[in-house]
């Protein structure tokens, strides 16, 4: 259990950091201020500030986020009557504003705010030290910081460095940069795996017959054979072949193979096993292995493309066919799968890391508000309309999408608990 927890945190941490770093890097390149880069969710444990960004480690290792200036859910407005303390720099401009009771500014001047603007005009009007006989006007430095209620110090968000102030192409690239990084991470890990394993699985329809418990071997199929079709359905690659076989548990099938340019047909019954709560067919074969240096070097790309094709096909079948919660998995399912992956050592963990990174990339591209794909869709609508969707409309759409995702997450999590621990 301890090993599983450690591996889960490491794997999830690598994927989250890779994804969020994509957003962070592209935002910085686009002139968008990144106020916070958080690993984890919930209460903060520690934070560190560098280059106008606060890097935060939070308690729950279930995700992370990059908080950019101008995010729709941000509220930096300091309401009239709010007591704050401010720090004044050598040029008589405010360099830091403290709104938290948990954090004290060194040499902070107590001020009761009457009016403030931290976006456009950058000022605070208020009463110093409770003296209401004189209203003081303070100019706020463009690069000033604000200490929020939970004690986290972040940069203020002037208009010129906000997300919406960046050019549309830069905003689109920023929105998809996390997905791009997850694809790159999958390629790198699959390439490492190819060298660790001494080869890479071929994506064509050439198979290796397992030495035991193989109905394919018993029927006469041999390693090196290429399976051309299953029950008349052509199987030009491993993904198509695997899906055809998995869809036929405990069924009699006709398999046509190519052996040394000669075609043969075999008829036999598949076996079955449980996978994610449902029966899948299998015949005791595995993918052929390419052990050449070139095969290993480019194995990360070929495996990533092949796996992505399988995931997209599965996603499409969920949309067009019978949808089941068993087709989805949340943190509980990921934890359970981590436990299985650790049993296969480094190979299993690397394979799981690459698959999960690729899975996250594809899911994030779905055009649902709240996901990167939903944000990209709004960007495309803006490009077509020649003007952005109103802030109010975008907020409503995002809240609806977020609500849908939360409801789906609750249902998936409960289904995972029932599937893995109650049955």
């Amino acid at each position: 259990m301890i090993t599983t927890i450690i591996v889960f945190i490491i794997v999830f941490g690598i994927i989250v950091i890779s994804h969020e770093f994509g957003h962070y890097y592209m935002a910085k390149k686009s002139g968008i201020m990144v106020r916070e880069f958080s690993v984890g969710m919930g209460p903060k444990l520690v934070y560190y500030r560098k280059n106008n960004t606060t890097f935060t480690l939070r308690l729950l290792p279930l995700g992370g986020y990059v908080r950019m200036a101008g995010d729709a859910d941000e509220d930096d407005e300091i309401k009239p009557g709010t007591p704050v303390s401010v720090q004044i720099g050598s040029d008589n401009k405010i360099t830091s504003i403290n709104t938290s009771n948990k954090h004290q500014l060194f040499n902070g001047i107590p001020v009761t705010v009457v009016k403030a603007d931290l976006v456009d005009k950058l000022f605070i009007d208020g009463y110093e030290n409770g003296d209401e006989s004189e209203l003081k006007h303070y100019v706020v430095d463009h690069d000033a910081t604000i200490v929020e209620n939970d004690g986290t110090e972040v940069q203020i968000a002037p208009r010129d460095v906000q997300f919406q102030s960046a050019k549309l192409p830069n905003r689109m690239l920023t929105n998809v940069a996390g997905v791009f990084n997850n694809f790159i991470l999958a390629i790198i890990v699959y390439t490492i795996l190819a060298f660790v394993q001494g080869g890479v699985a071929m994506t064509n329809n050439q198979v290796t017959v397992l030495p035991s418990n193989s109905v394919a071997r018993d029927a006469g199929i041999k390693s090196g054979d290429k399976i051309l079709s299953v029950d008349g359905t052509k199987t030009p690659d491993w993904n198509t072949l695997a899906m055809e076989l998995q869809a036929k548990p405990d069924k009699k099938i006709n398999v046509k193979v190519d052996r040394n340019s000669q075609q043969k047909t075999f008829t036999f019954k598949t076996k079955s096993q449980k996978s994610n709560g449902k029966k899948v067919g299998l015949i005791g074969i595995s993918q052929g292995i390419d052990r050449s240096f070139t095969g290993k070097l480019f194995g990360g790309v070929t495996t990533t493309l092949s796996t992505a094709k399988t995931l997209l096909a599965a996603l499409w079948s969920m949309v067009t066919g019978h949808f089941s919660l068993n087709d989805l998995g949340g943190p509980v399912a990921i934890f359970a799968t981590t436990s299985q992956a650790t049993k296969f050592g480094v190979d299993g963990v690397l394979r799981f890391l690459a698959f999960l990174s690729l899975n996250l990339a594809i899911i994030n591209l779905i055009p649902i508000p709240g996901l990167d794909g939903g944000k990209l869709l709004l960007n495309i609508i803006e490009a077509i309309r020649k003007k952005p969707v109103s802030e109010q409309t975008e907020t409503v759409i995002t809240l609806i999408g977020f609500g849908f995702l939360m409801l789906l997450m609750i249902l998936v999590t409960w289904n995972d608990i029932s599937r893995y621990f109650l049955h």
Side-chain angles (χ1 to χ4, degrees):
M1 179 63 75
I2 297 298
T3 302
T4 300
I5 292 172
I6 293 172
V7 171
F8 175 81
I9 292 173
I10 292 174
V11 166
F12 218 72
I14 291 172
I15 291 172
V16 167
I17 291 171
S18 173
H19 181 91
E20 299 304 337
F21 183 77
H23 292 309
Y24 168 82
Y25 179 81
M26 199 63 230
K28 298 285 273 189
K29 285 292 183 181
S30 302
I32 302 166
M33 180 190 294
V34 178
R35 304 183 73 190
E36 183 182 359
F37 186 123
S38 175
V39 178
M41 309 292 280
K44 71 175 175 60
L45 299 176
V46 294
Y47 75 88
Y48 168 72
R49 293 193 69 251
K50 185 177 181 180
N51 297 330
N52 296 336
T53 300
T54 301
F55 297 87
T56 313
L57 180 64
R58 296 185 178 270
L59 180 63
L60 303 175
L62 298 176
Y65 57 86
V66 163
R67 182 176 155 202
M68 300 177 209
D71 277 351
D73 59 346
E74 285 196 327
D75 184 12
D76 276 350
E77 181 185 0
I78 303 178
K79 293 181 173 57
T82 302
V84 301
S85 59
V86 299
Q87 197 168 56
I88 308 294
S90 57
D91 56 357
N92 289 322
K93 291 183 178 181
I94 291 177
T95 58
S96 192
I97 308 159
N98 182 17
T99 65
S100 171
N101 295 323
K102 301 178 181 178
H103 185 92
Q104 295 298 321
L105 283 181
F106 179 72
N107 287 336
I109 302 170
V111 174
T112 302
V113 175
V114 173
K115 190 177 180 182
D117 183 349
L118 302 181
V119 174
D120 294 307
K121 296 181 179 179
L122 303 181
F123 74 90
I124 291 178
D125 288 342
Y127 300 119
E128 187 176 306
N129 291 309
D131 180 8
E132 297 187 7
S133 64
E134 182 183 4
L135 182 65
K136 291 217 169 185
H137 179 80
Y138 304 89
V139 177
V140 179
D141 189 85
H142 182 277
D143 296 327
T145 62
I146 182 168
V147 181
E148 300 178 312
N149 287 330
D150 68 349
T152 304
E153 185 179 13
V154 297
Q155 207 81 7
I156 64 169
R159 182 81 60 190
D160 64 306
V161 293
Q162 290 192 3
F163 181 80
Q164 287 297 336
S165 297
K167 293 179 180 178
L168 179 58
N170 287 341
R171 283 185 274 134
M172 295 177 77
L173 288 172
T174 300
N175 281 332
V176 299
V179 169
F180 177 79
N181 264 23
N182 282 131
F183 274 109
I184 296 300
L185 176 62
I187 291 172
I188 292 171
V189 175
Y190 275 131
T191 302
I192 293 171
L193 188 62
F195 282 94
V196 169
Q197 292 181 325
V200 62
M202 297 186 213
T203 57
N204 61 15
N205 53 5
Q206 183 174 318
V207 301
T208 297
V209 178
L210 300 182
S212 61
N213 199 27
S214 170
V215 291
R217 183 203 59 194
D218 296 341
I221 296 175
K222 297 180 179 180
S223 294
D225 287 351
K226 295 180 180 179
I227 297 184
L228 304 177
S229 66
V230 175
D231 284 343
T233 301
K234 291 183 179 180
T235 54
D237 54 58
W238 176 262
N239 289 331
T240 309
L241 173 59
M243 285 193 293
E244 282 299 313
L245 294 174
Q246 288 171 5
K248 302 176 186 297
D250 298 317
K251 289 185 178 179
K252 199 171 187 180
I253 58 172
N254 294 309
V255 177
K256 183 184 288 187
V257 307
D258 179 296
R259 181 182 297 165
N260 299 323
S261 299
Q262 292 186 341
Q263 294 186 5
K264 297 177 179 289
T265 300
F266 302 89
T267 302
F268 54 93
K269 186 179 180 181
T270 66
K271 288 190 168 186
S272 68
Q273 71 177 19
K274 282 263 188 172
S275 176
N276 291 328
K278 62 182 181 181
K279 270 188 176 184
V280 295
L282 68 163
I283 62 174
I285 58 171
S286 63
Q287 290 173 275
I289 303 296
D290 182 353
R291 301 189 184 281
S292 68
F293 178 79
T294 305
K296 296 174 192 174
L297 189 61
F298 293 99
V301 176
T302 56
T303 306
T304 298
L305 293 176
S306 173
T307 308
K309 185 178 178 182
T310 302
L311 288 170
L312 288 170
L315 193 61
W316 180 249
S317 69
M318 286 169 56
V319 174
T320 58
H322 177 67
F323 172 76
S324 169
L325 284 175
N326 287 335
D327 295 327
L328 301 175
V332 174
I334 294 173
F335 184 80
T337 309
T338 304
S339 178
Q340 297 170 10
T342 55
K343 295 176 182 177
F344 294 94
V346 174
D347 289 11
V349 173
L350 287 175
R351 189 177 300 280
F352 177 59
L353 169 60
F355 178 80
L356 197 58
S357 182
L358 194 55
N359 204 0
L360 177 65
I362 290 173
I363 293 297
N364 251 296
L365 279 177
I366 298 175
I368 296 175
L371 298 178
D372 293 340
K375 296 174 184 176
L376 183 61
L377 178 61
L378 289 175
N379 293 148
I380 293 171
I381 292 172
E382 178 181 343
I384 295 171
R385 296 175 72 236
K386 305 296 184 184
K387 62 178 181 179
V389 176
S390 71
E391 187 176 323
Q392 184 178 3
T393 301
E394 184 175 348
T395 300
V396 170
I397 291 172
T398 302
L399 286 174
I400 291 172
F402 183 76
F404 170 76
L405 291 174
M406 287 300 99
L407 176 61
L408 186 61
M409 181 61 71
I410 291 169
L411 293 174
V412 167
T413 301
W414 174 248
N415 185 66
D416 287 345
I417 291 171
S418 300
R419 195 165 30 145
Y420 290 102
F421 299 106
L422 301 182
H423 290 159

